[in-house]
Amino acid sequence: MDTLTDLLREAAVVVGFTGAGVSTESGIPDFRSPGGVWTRYDPRSFELDRYVADASVRRESWQMRREFFATSVAPNPAHRAFAALEGAGRSPGVITQNIDGLHQEAGSRRVVELHGTAREVMCLGERPVGAPDGCGWRSPYTWAFERLDAGEDDPRCPRCGGLVKSATVSFGQQLFPGVVEEAVGLVERADLLVVAGSSLQVYPAAALPLHALDHGARLVIVNDEETPFDDVADLVVRGRAGEVLGPAVTAALS
Ligand code: APR
């Protein structure tokens, strides 16, 4: 903890890179820990081409999203730590793989959402292959829940009749244009990359820590289990993101 506080204090430009593990203390399960989402649902069911081809996959996805939003969740000290660093002028922003919008709720103004956001829905078009091919319509996710409550179990785009999905990046779907470039731009400005709550198994996201090291940044990993990058990190803190980052950032900014 003292080393982490020192690294945060000495760094001129801290960039955060987070995964689902920063939201578990807010009550949202991660994906690969025991009890995680992919231990209860088959990820192949949620590939883009399955979603496009199979109305039952769309119905199951809407059901999952309703469960996700049914549990009232709030940011935890990990989200607030990154927002505090940005608010203190020590961080240009945070890159996240998460789709829950909790970094924004905690006050982070610059959040690069590598895998999109569940807080919005978007038009996919009629037969998208590998990427949305819709009319550009987007709306808050509540629009979809209102349609579902009105009895439509497969809501369609109100503008062009295309398929509708949350504005997230599914397996088999390309990342949204410009997002990786924005994340790389942040990483290249960092002299300290703080990775928190990620198993670092999904690419291209998991390539970012190495890119930071290649650009001379120091790498800290805060995670409650091993990651493939522990041996190249300058510091690994084995612990809960909120319990570690909250106090460390408070101390570093005091
Ligand atoms: N504090 C610290 N680490 C935690 C905490 C916590 N409170 N809770 C969980 N972890 C750790 C887990 O041990 C695990 O190593 O966070 C990591 C979460 O890993 P994953 O569940 O694989 O989540 P993530 O790395 O974000 O997955 C990446 O995979 O399924 C896709 O698109 C999805 O964005 C996701 C991507």
Side-chain angles (χ1 to χ4, degrees):
M1 282 296 284
D2 292 345
T3 312
L4 175 57
T5 302
D6 292 344
L7 285 172
L8 287 165
R9 198 176 274 134
E10 288 155 17
V13 181
V14 182
V15 170
F17 175 55
T18 64
V22 295
S23 294
T24 54
E25 290 160 82
S26 296
I28 301 176
D30 65 12
F31 293 96
R32 296 174 179 84
S33 290
V37 173
W38 299 144
T39 66
R40 289 179 286 118
Y41 292 93
D42 177 356
R44 284 167 305 167
S45 310
F46 299 92
E47 288 174 357
L48 181 65
D49 55 6
R50 292 282 311 278
Y51 187 89
V52 169
D54 187 340
S56 67
V57 171
R58 294 197 290 273
R59 271 195 294 277
E60 187 184 4
S61 299
W62 289 119
Q63 184 48 40
M64 244 177 97
R65 290 176 197 131
R66 287 175 84 116
E67 286 166 20
F68 178 87
F69 281 104
T71 53
S72 65
V73 292
N76 68 62
H79 301 107
R80 286 197 288 274
F82 289 109
L85 285 165
E86 185 189 46
R90 306 289 301 284
S91 170
V94 59
I95 303 160
T96 188
Q97 301 168 88
N98 301 340
I99 59 173
D100 54 35
L102 289 180
H103 281 298
Q104 292 92 326
E105 271 199 50
S108 285
R109 291 186 302 282
R110 178 107 183 266
V111 182
V112 180
E113 292 177 306
L114 282 176
H115 297 157
T117 176
R119 296 276 167 125
E120 292 196 327
V121 292
M122 67 186 293
C123 173
L124 289 183
E126 280 302 326
R127 269 174 301 285
V129 177
D133 183 24
C135 66
W137 172 84
R138 284 176 84 110
S139 180
Y141 75 93
T142 45
W143 173 90
F145 289 6
E146 286 155 16
R147 306 313 320 141
L148 291 161
D149 291 341
E152 288 174 44
D153 65 1
D154 189 9
R156 293 301 177 111
C157 172
R159 201 189 289 170
C160 75
L163 296 172
V164 172
K165 183 173 92 71
S166 64
T168 55
V169 178
S170 304
F171 288 116
Q173 181 180 339
Q174 295 157 18
L175 298 192
F176 295 112
V179 169
V180 174
E181 292 77 2
E182 191 180 356
V184 167
L186 273 186
V187 160
E188 291 179 352
R189 289 175 56 189
D191 61 353
L192 179 64
L193 185 75
V194 178
V195 176
S198 180
S199 62
L200 295 175
Q201 291 177 32
V202 172
Y203 285 78
L208 288 171
L210 283 185
H211 193 72
L213 289 172
D214 290 347
H215 274 74
R218 285 179 163 162
L219 175 62
V220 168
I221 298 176
V222 178
N223 207 57
D224 71 3
E225 69 176 10
E226 278 183 25
T227 79
F229 295 86
D230 287 356
D231 53 345
V232 296
D234 293 273
L235 175 69
V236 175
V237 182
R238 186 71 64 234
R240 310 282 285 161
E243 294 168 10
V244 168
L245 288 169
V249 166
T250 302
L253 295 180
S254 62

